[in-house]
Amino acid sequence: MTRVPLLLLALCLGAPAHALDPGPDPVPSVMWEFYRKQWIGDEPYRFDQRVKVVAPPFAEDARQVPLQVDARDVPGRVRRMLVWAELNPLPRIVDFAPGPDVLPWLAVRIRIEQATPLRAAVQTEDGVWHVGSTLIDAAGGGCTAPSVVRSQPGWEERLGQVLGGRYPREDFSRLRLSVAHPMDNGLMAGIPEFFIEHAELFDAAGRSLATLELWPAVSENPSLSFDLRRPGPVRLSLRDNNGNAFDAAIE
Amino acid sequence: MVIDSGPSLRYGQALRSAIGKVTDKPVVQVLITHHHPDHALGNQAFADAPIAALPGTNAQLAKEGDGLTENMYRMVGDWMRGTQVRVPEQTLEPGVKRFGSHPLRLLAFTGHSGADLAVLDEKTGVLFTGDLVFYQRALTTPHSPGLLQWMEDLQQLQGLPWTLLVPGHGPVSQDRRPFEQMMDYLGWLDDLLRDSAANGLEMNEVIATPIPERFAAVKMSKYELIRSVSHLYPRYEQAAMARVEQ
Protein backbone atom coordinates (compact mmCIF):
# COMPACT_ATOMS: atom_id res chain seq x y z
CA MET A 1 0.00 0.00 0.00
CA THR A 2 2.83 2.39 0.76
CA ARG A 3 4.31 1.97 -2.68
CA VAL A 4 1.48 3.71 -4.47
CA PRO A 5 1.89 7.12 -2.80
CA LEU A 6 5.64 6.87 -3.26
CA LEU A 7 5.19 6.16 -6.91
CA LEU A 8 2.81 9.10 -7.22
CA LEU A 9 5.29 11.33 -5.45
CA ALA A 10 8.02 10.23 -7.79
CA LEU A 11 5.83 10.94 -10.78
CA CYS A 12 4.94 14.38 -9.50
CA LEU A 13 8.53 15.32 -8.82
CA GLY A 14 9.83 13.90 -12.03
CA ALA A 15 7.10 15.01 -14.40
CA PRO A 16 7.31 18.27 -16.31
CA ALA A 17 5.11 21.03 -14.87
CA HIS A 18 2.53 20.85 -17.65
CA ALA A 19 1.69 17.28 -16.66
CA LEU A 20 0.08 18.53 -13.44
CA ASP A 21 -3.25 16.76 -12.90
CA PRO A 22 -5.90 19.51 -13.02
CA GLY A 23 -8.45 17.39 -11.19
CA PRO A 24 -12.17 17.45 -12.01
CA ASP A 25 -13.86 20.63 -13.22
CA PRO A 26 -16.29 21.56 -10.40
CA VAL A 27 -18.83 23.17 -12.76
CA PRO A 28 -20.50 21.90 -15.95
CA SER A 29 -18.85 23.70 -18.82
CA VAL A 30 -18.74 23.60 -22.59
CA MET A 31 -16.26 26.45 -22.97
CA TRP A 32 -13.52 25.64 -20.45
CA GLU A 33 -11.09 24.06 -22.93
CA PHE A 34 -11.66 26.81 -25.50
CA TYR A 35 -10.71 29.62 -23.14
CA ARG A 36 -8.00 27.65 -21.35
CA LYS A 37 -6.20 27.25 -24.67
CA GLN A 38 -6.50 30.98 -25.37
CA TRP A 39 -5.41 32.37 -22.04
CA ILE A 40 -3.55 29.65 -20.16
CA GLY A 41 -2.27 27.71 -23.12
CA ASP A 42 -0.03 24.79 -22.22
CA GLU A 43 0.96 26.16 -18.84
CA PRO A 44 0.21 23.90 -15.84
CA TYR A 45 -3.12 24.41 -14.14
CA ARG A 46 -5.38 22.82 -11.56
CA PHE A 47 -8.94 23.39 -10.43
CA ASP A 48 -8.50 24.77 -6.94
CA GLN A 49 -11.23 25.52 -4.41
CA ARG A 50 -8.83 27.76 -2.52
CA VAL A 51 -9.52 30.32 -5.23
CA LYS A 52 -12.92 31.50 -4.10
CA VAL A 53 -15.06 33.00 -6.83
CA VAL A 54 -17.97 34.54 -4.98
CA ALA A 55 -21.17 35.69 -6.68
CA PRO A 56 -24.84 35.47 -5.71
CA PRO A 57 -26.59 32.26 -6.86
CA PHE A 58 -28.63 34.33 -9.30
CA ALA A 59 -28.25 37.74 -10.93
CA GLU A 60 -30.96 40.03 -9.63
CA ASP A 61 -29.66 42.74 -11.97
CA ALA A 62 -27.74 41.17 -14.86
CA ARG A 63 -26.12 44.56 -15.61
CA GLN A 64 -24.59 44.86 -12.12
CA VAL A 65 -23.58 41.48 -10.72
CA PRO A 66 -21.24 41.61 -7.73
CA LEU A 67 -18.21 39.36 -8.19
CA GLN A 68 -15.44 38.80 -5.69
CA VAL A 69 -12.29 36.75 -6.20
CA ASP A 70 -10.32 35.72 -3.14
CA ALA A 71 -7.01 33.86 -3.65
CA ARG A 72 -5.55 34.61 -0.20
CA ASP A 73 -5.57 30.92 0.72
CA VAL A 74 -3.48 29.89 -2.29
CA PRO A 75 0.09 29.16 -1.13
CA GLY A 76 2.79 31.22 -2.79
CA ARG A 77 2.71 34.73 -4.17
CA VAL A 78 0.02 35.44 -6.75
CA ARG A 79 1.29 37.29 -9.78
CA ARG A 80 -1.78 37.33 -12.04
CA MET A 81 -5.49 36.83 -11.82
CA LEU A 82 -7.56 36.34 -15.01
CA VAL A 83 -11.33 36.48 -14.60
CA TRP A 84 -13.99 35.64 -17.18
CA ALA A 85 -17.67 34.75 -17.63
CA GLU A 86 -17.70 31.76 -19.94
CA LEU A 87 -21.00 32.24 -21.71
CA ASN A 88 -20.85 36.00 -22.12
CA PRO A 89 -20.58 37.28 -25.70
CA LEU A 90 -17.53 39.20 -24.41
CA PRO A 91 -16.23 36.85 -21.73
CA ARG A 92 -13.16 38.66 -20.42
CA ILE A 93 -13.61 40.70 -17.23
CA VAL A 94 -10.21 41.62 -15.80
CA ASP A 95 -6.52 40.72 -15.80
CA PHE A 96 -5.24 41.73 -12.37
CA ALA A 97 -1.57 41.81 -11.37
CA PRO A 98 -1.26 42.56 -7.66
CA GLY A 99 2.17 43.58 -6.44
CA PRO A 100 3.54 42.38 -3.08
CA ASP A 101 1.69 45.13 -1.18
CA VAL A 102 -1.73 44.23 -2.58
CA LEU A 103 -3.64 41.14 -1.47
CA PRO A 104 -4.69 38.61 -4.12
CA TRP A 105 -8.30 39.68 -3.71
CA LEU A 106 -10.52 41.74 -5.97
CA ALA A 107 -14.15 42.81 -6.14
CA VAL A 108 -15.84 44.17 -9.24
CA ARG A 109 -19.34 44.35 -10.73
CA ILE A 110 -19.99 42.70 -14.04
CA ARG A 111 -22.51 42.17 -16.83
CA ILE A 112 -23.99 38.72 -17.42
CA GLU A 113 -25.73 37.84 -20.67
CA GLN A 114 -27.07 34.48 -19.46
CA ALA A 115 -26.55 31.84 -16.79
CA THR A 116 -22.85 31.02 -16.91
CA PRO A 117 -19.80 29.59 -15.17
CA LEU A 118 -17.56 32.30 -13.74
CA ARG A 119 -13.81 31.58 -13.65
CA ALA A 120 -10.79 33.06 -12.01
CA ALA A 121 -7.40 31.66 -13.03
CA VAL A 122 -4.76 32.69 -10.54
CA GLN A 123 -1.11 32.23 -11.42
CA THR A 124 1.41 31.82 -8.61
CA GLU A 125 5.12 32.53 -8.92
CA ASP A 126 5.89 28.87 -9.66
CA GLY A 127 3.95 29.33 -12.91
CA VAL A 128 0.98 27.15 -11.88
CA TRP A 129 -2.54 28.42 -12.61
CA HIS A 130 -5.07 27.78 -9.83
CA VAL A 131 -8.58 27.93 -11.23
CA GLY A 132 -11.57 28.88 -9.09
CA SER A 133 -15.10 28.49 -10.44
CA THR A 134 -18.72 29.14 -9.63
CA LEU A 135 -22.05 29.18 -11.44
CA ILE A 136 -24.54 31.99 -11.62
CA ASP A 137 -28.12 31.87 -12.85
CA ALA A 138 -29.56 34.82 -14.75
CA ALA A 139 -32.61 35.90 -16.70
CA GLY A 140 -29.93 37.47 -18.84
CA GLY A 141 -29.56 40.37 -21.18
CA GLY A 142 -27.05 42.24 -19.03
CA CYS A 143 -24.60 42.75 -21.90
CA THR A 144 -27.21 43.95 -24.37
CA ALA A 145 -29.42 46.10 -22.12
CA PRO A 146 -29.51 49.82 -22.92
CA SER A 147 -27.03 51.91 -20.95
CA VAL A 148 -28.36 53.49 -17.77
CA VAL A 149 -25.50 56.02 -17.76
CA ARG A 150 -26.30 57.26 -21.28
CA SER A 151 -29.96 57.80 -20.36
CA GLN A 152 -28.94 60.36 -17.73
CA PRO A 153 -28.54 63.91 -19.08
CA GLY A 154 -25.09 65.41 -18.52
CA TRP A 155 -23.29 62.06 -18.18
CA GLU A 156 -20.46 63.35 -20.39
CA GLU A 157 -19.66 66.01 -17.77
CA ARG A 158 -19.52 63.35 -15.07
CA LEU A 159 -17.20 61.10 -17.08
CA GLY A 160 -14.23 60.12 -14.94
CA GLN A 161 -15.68 61.32 -11.65
CA VAL A 162 -14.52 58.92 -8.95
CA LEU A 163 -16.13 58.10 -5.62
CA GLY A 164 -13.76 56.47 -3.19
CA GLY A 165 -13.32 55.26 0.34
CA ARG A 166 -10.65 53.63 2.49
CA TYR A 167 -11.69 51.20 5.20
CA PRO A 168 -9.31 49.84 7.84
CA ARG A 169 -9.27 46.12 8.56
CA GLU A 170 -7.27 44.28 11.20
CA ASP A 171 -4.16 43.66 9.12
CA PHE A 172 -4.89 45.44 5.86
CA SER A 173 -7.03 48.24 4.51
CA ARG A 174 -9.69 48.17 1.84
CA LEU A 175 -9.82 50.62 -1.01
CA ARG A 176 -13.16 51.06 -2.80
CA LEU A 177 -13.70 53.08 -5.95
CA SER A 178 -16.60 53.81 -8.24
CA VAL A 179 -15.83 55.50 -11.57
CA ALA A 180 -18.40 57.32 -13.72
CA HIS A 181 -18.04 55.72 -17.16
CA PRO A 182 -20.52 54.01 -19.54
CA MET A 183 -18.19 51.06 -20.31
CA ASP A 184 -19.86 50.64 -23.71
CA ASN A 185 -19.20 47.17 -25.04
CA GLY A 186 -19.99 47.80 -28.71
CA LEU A 187 -23.06 45.55 -28.66
CA MET A 188 -25.54 48.45 -28.78
CA ALA A 189 -26.35 49.67 -32.28
CA GLY A 190 -24.58 52.91 -33.12
CA ILE A 191 -22.50 53.03 -29.92
CA PRO A 192 -18.91 51.87 -30.43
CA GLU A 193 -16.76 50.34 -27.71
CA PHE A 194 -15.89 52.97 -25.11
CA PHE A 195 -14.50 51.58 -21.89
CA ILE A 196 -11.82 51.94 -19.24
CA GLU A 197 -9.18 49.43 -20.24
CA HIS A 198 -6.36 50.10 -17.81
CA ALA A 199 -6.09 50.98 -14.14
CA GLU A 200 -2.98 51.23 -12.01
CA LEU A 201 -2.47 51.84 -8.32
CA PHE A 202 0.52 53.82 -7.05
CA ASP A 203 1.81 54.57 -3.59
CA ALA A 204 2.77 58.06 -2.37
CA ALA A 205 6.28 57.64 -3.75
CA GLY A 206 4.90 56.86 -7.20
CA ARG A 207 5.73 53.16 -7.10
CA SER A 208 3.29 50.88 -8.88
CA LEU A 209 1.33 48.67 -6.47
CA ALA A 210 -0.92 46.79 -8.91
CA THR A 211 -2.21 46.91 -12.46
CA LEU A 212 -5.65 45.98 -13.71
CA GLU A 213 -6.68 45.49 -17.33
CA LEU A 214 -10.45 45.73 -17.82
CA TRP A 215 -12.86 44.62 -20.53
CA PRO A 216 -16.44 45.82 -20.98
CA ALA A 217 -17.91 42.80 -19.23
CA VAL A 218 -17.20 45.13 -16.30
CA SER A 219 -20.42 47.03 -15.53
CA GLU A 220 -20.99 50.67 -16.35
CA ASN A 221 -19.80 53.03 -13.63
CA PRO A 222 -17.21 50.42 -12.65
CA SER A 223 -17.02 49.54 -9.01
CA LEU A 224 -13.57 48.28 -7.94
CA SER A 225 -12.24 47.19 -4.57
CA PHE A 226 -8.70 46.25 -3.54
CA ASP A 227 -7.22 45.19 -0.23
CA LEU A 228 -3.86 46.80 0.53
CA ARG A 229 -1.39 45.42 3.05
CA ARG A 230 -0.19 48.86 4.10
CA PRO A 231 -1.82 52.13 5.10
CA GLY A 232 -0.87 55.41 3.44
CA PRO A 233 -2.17 57.49 0.56
CA VAL A 234 -2.54 55.88 -2.87
CA ARG A 235 -3.29 57.15 -6.34
CA LEU A 236 -5.40 55.39 -8.94
CA SER A 237 -4.67 56.13 -12.56
CA LEU A 238 -7.26 55.14 -15.19
CA ARG A 239 -7.23 55.17 -19.00
CA ASP A 240 -10.03 54.40 -21.43
CA ASN A 241 -9.76 53.13 -25.01
CA ASN A 242 -10.35 56.65 -26.36
CA GLY A 243 -7.25 57.89 -24.57
CA ASN A 244 -9.02 59.73 -21.75
CA ALA A 245 -7.00 59.58 -18.55
CA PHE A 246 -8.43 59.99 -15.06
CA ASP A 247 -6.71 60.20 -11.70
CA ALA A 248 -7.95 59.77 -8.17
CA ALA A 249 -6.21 60.14 -4.83
CA ILE A 250 -7.28 58.33 -1.67
CA GLU A 251 -5.84 58.90 1.78
CA MET B 1 -65.19 44.01 -5.28
CA VAL B 2 -61.75 42.56 -5.90
CA ILE B 3 -58.51 44.02 -4.59
CA ASP B 4 -55.58 42.73 -6.71
CA SER B 5 -56.13 40.25 -9.50
CA GLY B 6 -53.10 37.97 -9.01
CA PRO B 7 -50.15 36.88 -11.17
CA SER B 8 -51.83 35.41 -14.28
CA LEU B 9 -54.96 34.99 -16.35
CA ARG B 10 -55.35 31.50 -14.91
CA TYR B 11 -55.06 32.78 -11.35
CA GLY B 12 -57.59 35.53 -12.07
CA GLN B 13 -60.02 32.94 -13.42
CA ALA B 14 -59.52 30.74 -10.35
CA LEU B 15 -60.13 33.77 -8.15
CA ARG B 16 -63.40 34.47 -9.98
CA SER B 17 -64.51 30.90 -9.60
CA ALA B 18 -63.70 31.01 -5.86
CA ILE B 19 -65.73 34.21 -5.54
CA GLY B 20 -68.60 32.48 -7.37
CA LYS B 21 -68.71 29.84 -4.65
CA VAL B 22 -69.23 32.52 -1.99
CA THR B 23 -71.68 34.82 -3.75
CA ASP B 24 -73.69 34.98 -6.94
CA LYS B 25 -73.31 38.76 -7.09
CA PRO B 26 -71.19 40.21 -9.91
CA VAL B 27 -67.76 41.71 -9.49
CA VAL B 28 -68.46 45.43 -9.83
CA GLN B 29 -64.98 46.87 -9.31
CA VAL B 30 -61.36 45.77 -9.30
CA LEU B 31 -58.69 47.83 -7.49
CA ILE B 32 -54.99 47.19 -8.11
CA THR B 33 -52.75 48.17 -5.19
CA HIS B 34 -49.52 48.41 -7.21
CA HIS B 35 -47.90 47.35 -10.47
CA HIS B 36 -46.03 44.22 -9.40
CA PRO B 37 -46.83 41.14 -11.50
CA ASP B 38 -48.23 39.04 -8.64
CA HIS B 39 -50.91 41.71 -8.07
CA ALA B 40 -51.80 43.03 -11.52
CA LEU B 41 -51.51 40.28 -14.14
CA GLY B 42 -54.88 38.60 -13.48
CA ASN B 43 -56.75 41.64 -14.83
CA GLN B 44 -57.84 39.88 -18.04
CA ALA B 45 -60.10 37.59 -16.00
CA PHE B 46 -62.15 40.65 -15.01
CA ALA B 47 -62.78 42.00 -18.50
CA ASP B 48 -66.38 42.87 -17.62
CA ALA B 49 -65.53 44.95 -14.53
CA PRO B 50 -63.92 48.38 -14.30
CA ILE B 51 -60.32 48.25 -13.05
CA ALA B 52 -58.75 51.15 -11.20
CA ALA B 53 -55.33 51.98 -9.75
CA LEU B 54 -53.24 54.98 -8.75
CA PRO B 55 -51.94 57.03 -11.72
CA GLY B 56 -48.36 56.02 -10.86
CA THR B 57 -49.34 52.35 -10.94
CA ASN B 58 -50.90 52.68 -14.38
CA ALA B 59 -47.83 54.49 -15.68
CA GLN B 60 -45.50 51.82 -14.27
CA LEU B 61 -47.62 49.01 -15.73
CA ALA B 62 -47.65 50.66 -19.14
CA LYS B 63 -43.88 51.10 -19.03
CA GLU B 64 -42.66 47.95 -17.31
CA GLY B 65 -45.60 45.55 -17.52
CA ASP B 66 -44.41 43.64 -20.58
CA GLY B 67 -40.95 43.11 -19.12
CA LEU B 68 -42.38 41.95 -15.79
CA THR B 69 -44.74 39.58 -17.64
CA GLU B 70 -41.90 38.13 -19.72
CA ASN B 71 -39.99 37.42 -16.53
CA MET B 72 -43.02 35.58 -15.10
CA TYR B 73 -43.20 33.43 -18.26
CA ARG B 74 -39.53 32.63 -17.81
CA MET B 75 -40.06 31.64 -14.18
CA VAL B 76 -43.29 29.61 -14.32
CA GLY B 77 -43.82 28.97 -18.04
CA ASP B 78 -47.15 27.41 -19.01
CA TRP B 79 -48.96 28.65 -15.89
CA MET B 80 -48.82 32.09 -17.54
CA ARG B 81 -50.44 30.94 -20.80
CA GLY B 82 -52.58 33.67 -22.38
CA THR B 83 -51.56 36.28 -19.81
CA GLN B 84 -51.02 39.80 -21.11
CA VAL B 85 -50.78 43.17 -19.41
CA ARG B 86 -54.08 45.00 -19.09
CA VAL B 87 -53.44 48.47 -17.74
CA PRO B 88 -56.35 49.66 -15.52
CA GLU B 89 -58.50 52.12 -17.44
CA GLN B 90 -59.53 54.09 -14.33
CA THR B 91 -57.30 56.18 -12.11
CA LEU B 92 -57.85 56.65 -8.39
CA GLU B 93 -57.42 59.77 -6.31
CA PRO B 94 -56.78 59.50 -2.57
CA GLY B 95 -59.85 60.15 -0.45
CA VAL B 96 -63.10 58.46 0.52
CA LYS B 97 -65.04 56.83 -2.30
CA ARG B 98 -68.28 54.92 -1.85
CA PHE B 99 -68.73 51.44 -3.28
CA GLY B 100 -72.28 50.22 -2.50
CA SER B 101 -72.78 50.68 1.22
CA HIS B 102 -69.02 50.76 1.95
CA PRO B 103 -67.17 54.06 2.19
CA LEU B 104 -63.60 53.14 1.28
CA ARG B 105 -60.76 55.39 2.26
CA LEU B 106 -58.17 55.23 -0.52
CA LEU B 107 -54.64 56.06 0.59
CA ALA B 108 -51.65 56.69 -1.67
CA PHE B 109 -48.15 55.79 -0.49
CA THR B 110 -44.83 55.08 -2.22
CA GLY B 111 -42.62 53.04 0.12
CA HIS B 112 -42.88 49.59 -1.47
CA SER B 113 -43.16 50.16 -5.20
CA GLY B 114 -43.30 53.91 -5.88
CA ALA B 115 -47.12 53.93 -6.08
CA ASP B 116 -48.87 51.92 -3.37
CA LEU B 117 -52.58 51.94 -2.70
CA ALA B 118 -53.97 51.02 0.70
CA VAL B 119 -57.71 50.67 1.25
CA LEU B 120 -59.52 51.12 4.57
CA ASP B 121 -63.14 49.98 4.63
CA GLU B 122 -64.61 52.55 7.01
CA LYS B 123 -67.72 50.43 7.54
CA THR B 124 -65.95 47.31 8.73
CA GLY B 125 -62.49 48.55 9.72
CA VAL B 126 -60.78 46.12 7.37
CA LEU B 127 -57.46 47.54 6.12
CA PHE B 128 -56.04 46.20 2.87
CA THR B 129 -52.38 47.23 2.94
CA GLY B 130 -51.21 45.89 -0.40
CA ASP B 131 -47.49 45.11 -0.24
CA LEU B 132 -46.80 47.90 2.22
CA VAL B 133 -47.17 45.07 4.72
CA PHE B 134 -45.62 41.63 4.39
CA TYR B 135 -46.19 39.30 7.31
CA GLN B 136 -44.14 36.12 7.93
CA ARG B 137 -42.75 36.55 4.41
CA ALA B 138 -39.74 38.72 3.61
CA LEU B 139 -40.53 42.07 2.04
CA THR B 140 -39.37 42.83 -1.53
CA THR B 141 -37.69 46.02 -2.69
CA PRO B 142 -37.25 46.17 -6.49
CA HIS B 143 -38.97 49.57 -6.87
CA SER B 144 -38.77 50.96 -3.36
CA PRO B 145 -37.80 54.65 -3.20
CA GLY B 146 -36.11 53.88 0.13
CA LEU B 147 -36.60 51.98 3.35
CA LEU B 148 -37.01 55.12 5.47
CA GLN B 149 -39.85 56.29 3.22
CA TRP B 150 -41.46 52.88 3.65
CA MET B 151 -41.20 53.16 7.43
CA GLU B 152 -42.86 56.59 7.31
CA ASP B 153 -45.72 55.12 5.27
CA LEU B 154 -46.17 52.38 7.86
CA GLN B 155 -46.32 54.91 10.69
CA GLN B 156 -49.26 56.52 8.96
CA LEU B 157 -50.95 53.24 8.10
CA GLN B 158 -50.83 51.82 11.59
CA GLY B 159 -52.44 54.97 13.00
CA LEU B 160 -55.62 54.38 10.99
CA PRO B 161 -58.77 53.12 12.80
CA TRP B 162 -58.49 49.55 11.53
CA THR B 163 -59.77 46.37 13.18
CA LEU B 164 -58.55 43.71 10.76
CA LEU B 165 -55.35 43.83 8.73
CA VAL B 166 -55.04 42.17 5.32
CA PRO B 167 -51.33 42.18 4.34
CA GLY B 168 -50.21 41.90 0.74
CA HIS B 169 -48.48 38.64 1.70
CA GLY B 170 -49.07 36.52 4.80
CA PRO B 171 -52.00 35.81 7.13
CA VAL B 172 -54.64 38.36 8.14
CA SER B 173 -54.27 39.76 11.61
CA GLN B 174 -56.36 41.47 14.27
CA ASP B 175 -53.34 42.70 16.17
CA ARG B 176 -50.33 44.91 15.47
CA ARG B 177 -47.81 42.13 15.04
CA PRO B 178 -47.51 42.54 11.24
CA PHE B 179 -46.66 46.23 11.70
CA GLU B 180 -44.17 45.44 14.44
CA GLN B 181 -42.47 42.81 12.32
CA MET B 182 -42.32 45.15 9.32
CA MET B 183 -40.81 48.04 11.29
CA ASP B 184 -38.31 45.71 12.94
CA TYR B 185 -37.28 44.11 9.64
CA LEU B 186 -37.05 47.41 7.72
CA GLY B 187 -35.00 48.93 10.54
CA TRP B 188 -32.66 45.93 10.56
CA LEU B 189 -32.22 46.03 6.77
CA ASP B 190 -31.60 49.78 6.73
CA ASP B 191 -29.03 49.53 9.55
CA LEU B 192 -27.33 46.57 7.88
CA LEU B 193 -26.94 48.37 4.54
CA ARG B 194 -25.81 51.64 6.15
CA ASP B 195 -23.29 50.02 8.51
CA SER B 196 -21.96 47.75 5.76
CA ALA B 197 -21.40 50.70 3.42
CA ALA B 198 -19.74 52.70 6.20
CA ASN B 199 -17.36 49.77 6.77
CA GLY B 200 -16.61 49.27 3.07
CA LEU B 201 -18.21 45.84 2.74
CA GLU B 202 -18.67 44.32 -0.68
CA MET B 203 -22.15 43.28 -1.88
CA ASN B 204 -21.31 39.59 -1.56
CA GLU B 205 -20.18 40.13 2.02
CA VAL B 206 -23.47 41.88 2.86
CA ILE B 207 -25.41 39.06 1.20
CA ALA B 208 -23.60 36.57 3.46
CA THR B 209 -24.93 38.30 6.61
CA PRO B 210 -26.83 35.82 8.81
CA ILE B 211 -30.53 36.64 9.21
CA PRO B 212 -31.21 37.47 12.89
CA GLU B 213 -32.84 34.69 14.86
CA ARG B 214 -35.91 36.82 15.58
CA PHE B 215 -36.80 36.71 11.88
CA ALA B 216 -36.64 32.91 11.69
CA ALA B 217 -40.39 32.77 10.95
CA VAL B 218 -40.04 35.24 8.07
CA LYS B 219 -39.98 33.09 4.96
CA MET B 220 -37.64 33.76 2.01
CA SER B 221 -35.54 36.25 3.98
CA LYS B 222 -32.21 34.85 2.73
CA TYR B 223 -33.39 35.01 -0.88
CA GLU B 224 -34.85 38.49 -0.53
CA LEU B 225 -31.67 39.78 1.12
CA ILE B 226 -29.77 38.88 -2.07
CA ARG B 227 -32.31 40.85 -4.09
CA SER B 228 -32.51 43.82 -1.73
CA VAL B 229 -28.73 44.21 -1.62
CA SER B 230 -28.77 44.43 -5.42
CA HIS B 231 -31.64 46.97 -5.41
CA LEU B 232 -30.59 49.19 -2.54
CA TYR B 233 -26.92 48.84 -1.61
CA PRO B 234 -25.53 51.10 -4.37
CA ARG B 235 -27.40 54.09 -2.86
CA TYR B 236 -25.91 53.42 0.57
CA GLU B 237 -22.44 52.96 -0.95
CA GLN B 238 -22.59 56.25 -2.82
CA ALA B 239 -23.66 58.05 0.34
CA ALA B 240 -20.71 56.54 2.21
CA MET B 241 -18.03 57.47 -0.33
CA ALA B 242 -16.48 60.82 -1.23
CA ARG B 243 -15.33 62.36 -4.50
CA VAL B 244 -11.64 61.61 -4.96
CA GLU B 245 -10.81 62.40 -8.59
CA GLN B 246 -8.09 64.96 -9.30
Side-chain angles (χ1 to χ4, degrees):
Chain A
M1 286 301 286
T2 54
R3 287 169 65 188
V4 176
L6 281 174
L7 182 62
L8 277 174
L9 184 65
L11 280 172
C12 291
L13 291 173
H18 65 259
L20 185 69
D21 176 11
D25 187 344
V27 298
S29 168
V30 291
M31 297 300 282
W32 163 254
E33 273 302 311
F34 182 76
Y35 290 127
R36 178 192 68 76
K37 280 179 195 150
Q38 284 190 41
W39 298 321
I40 294 179
D42 291 329
E43 293 175 352
Y45 75 93
R46 52 174 292 192
F47 295 106
D48 192 337
Q49 293 183 348
R50 290 173 298 186
V51 178
K52 298 178 197 78
V53 180
V54 184
F58 60 91
E60 175 64 14
D61 179 354
R63 299 163 306 181
Q64 293 278 351
V65 176
L67 174 65
Q68 194 176 305
V69 181
D70 181 356
R72 287 175 296 184
D73 288 343
V74 177
R77 208 183 84 68
V78 168
R79 69 182 180 207
R80 258 178 96 192
M81 191 184 269
L82 304 181
V83 189
W84 67 93
E86 276 190 1
L87 297 182
N88 263 11
L90 301 163
R92 299 196 82 171
I93 300 168
V94 292
D95 180 348
F96 178 42
D101 287 333
V102 178
L103 292 172
W105 180 98
L106 181 77
V108 64
R109 273 170 220 160
I110 64 167
R111 296 168 164 139
I112 293 287
E113 188 60 14
Q114 58 177 304
T116 179
L118 299 170
R119 307 280 195 179
V122 170
Q123 191 179 35
T124 41
E125 280 199 316
D126 58 3
V128 175
W129 291 93
H130 304 260
V131 180
S133 314
T134 192
L135 285 174
I136 185 162
D137 193 11
C143 303
T144 48
S147 166
V148 175
V149 168
R150 283 180 178 274
S151 71
Q152 295 160 341
W155 68 269
E156 296 97 331
E157 280 76 54
R158 289 190 293 275
L159 192 74
Q161 285 184 1
V162 185
L163 287 174
R166 190 79 178 266
Y167 308 91
R169 295 287 184 269
E170 205 164 299
D171 48 3
F172 61 92
S173 81
R174 174 161 300 170
L175 178 65
R176 304 193 76 205
L177 298 145
S178 167
V179 187
H181 203 287
M183 296 296 281
D184 297 310
N185 58 13
L187 296 180
M188 302 299 293
I191 304 176
E193 281 186 323
F194 178 42
F195 62 94
I196 294 171
E197 59 180 5
H198 179 78
E200 190 159 4
L201 271 177
F202 298 93
D203 68 9
R207 279 180 307 221
S208 176
L209 298 173
T211 62
L212 183 72
E213 308 299 325
L214 301 87
W215 283 266
V218 173
S219 303
E220 56 185 343
N221 292 337
S223 167
L224 304 170
S225 298
F226 308 94
D227 282 347
L228 312 182
R229 286 187 206 277
R230 285 197 265 175
V234 291
R235 186 167 63 81
L236 179 78
S237 176
L238 301 155
R239 190 185 67 229
D240 71 23
N241 66 332
N242 280 20
N244 299 306
F246 314 106
D247 261 307
I250 304 98
E251 288 299 311
Chain B
M1 178 154 184
V2 169
I3 297 179
D4 286 342
S5 60
S8 65
L9 171 61
R10 194 164 168 176
Y11 185 100
Q13 288 164 340
L15 180 56
R16 267 207 106 131
S17 128
I19 293 167
K21 286 176 188 149
V22 180
T23 176
D24 55 5
K25 291 181 182 169
V27 173
V28 296
Q29 179 73 48
V30 179
L31 301 182
I32 301 300
T33 59
H34 63 297
H35 77 290
H36 285 164
D38 51 332
H39 295 258
L41 289 185
N43 287 359
Q44 287 163 288
F46 300 93
D48 51 344
I51 304 187
L54 293 170
T57 299
N58 289 345
Q60 285 169 312
L61 259 181
K63 183 164 173 250
E64 297 177 40
D66 286 342
L68 294 169
T69 309
E70 273 172 37
N71 194 44
M72 289 294 291
Y73 273 91
R74 187 185 72 85
M75 290 198 294
V76 299
D78 194 53
W79 290 96
M80 293 297 291
R81 190 189 299 175
T83 304
Q84 287 181 320
V85 176
R86 178 187 163 195
V87 179
E89 65 282 356
Q90 297 180 335
T91 53
L92 294 172
E93 297 300 324
V96 178
K97 192 169 157 69
R98 250 192 129 70
F99 293 89
S101 65
H102 293 253
L104 299 189
R105 198 187 303 181
L106 307 175
L107 303 122
F109 297 101
T110 59
H112 168 63
S113 74
D116 297 288
L117 175 71
V119 180
L120 176 67
D121 183 344
E122 295 192 335
K123 185 174 174 182
T124 60
V126 178
L127 176 60
F128 298 88
T129 66
D131 278 4
L132 290 164
V133 176
F134 286 72
Y135 185 40
Q136 310 292 48
R137 200 280 183 203
L139 58 90
T140 71
T141 55
H143 304 89
S144 174
L147 302 181
L148 298 178
Q149 177 63 52
W150 196 338
M151 290 167 90
E152 274 181 36
D153 292 356
L154 286 172
Q155 294 288 9
Q156 288 189 49
L157 260 186
Q158 63 184 336
L160 295 167
W162 58 272
T163 55
L164 185 72
L165 196 63
V166 183
H169 294 263
V172 298
S173 174
Q174 287 176 291
D175 58 44
R176 302 171 53 81
R177 273 180 292 182
F179 279 121
E180 287 161 9
Q181 187 181 75
M182 278 298 290
M183 294 299 277
D184 192 11
Y185 198 94
L186 282 167
W188 166 71
L189 189 55
D190 181 58
D191 285 348
L192 171 68
L193 298 176
R194 184 168 291 103
D195 293 349
S196 298
N199 290 317
L201 262 61
E202 276 306 312
M203 273 189 179
N204 282 299
E205 294 169 325
V206 187
I207 285 168
T209 308
I211 306 291
E213 193 55 41
R214 66 184 191 277
F215 300 131
V218 180
K219 293 185 182 68
M220 307 289 281
S221 52
K222 198 78 210 154
Y223 171 78
E224 292 299 345
L225 179 61
I226 297 171
R227 301 184 67 210
S228 289
V229 167
S230 171
H231 305 147
L232 303 173
Y233 196 52
R235 300 176 214 174
Y236 290 84
E237 288 177 311
Q238 281 164 26
M241 291 197 279
R243 293 272 294 277
V244 293
E245 75 269 12
Q246 292 193 314

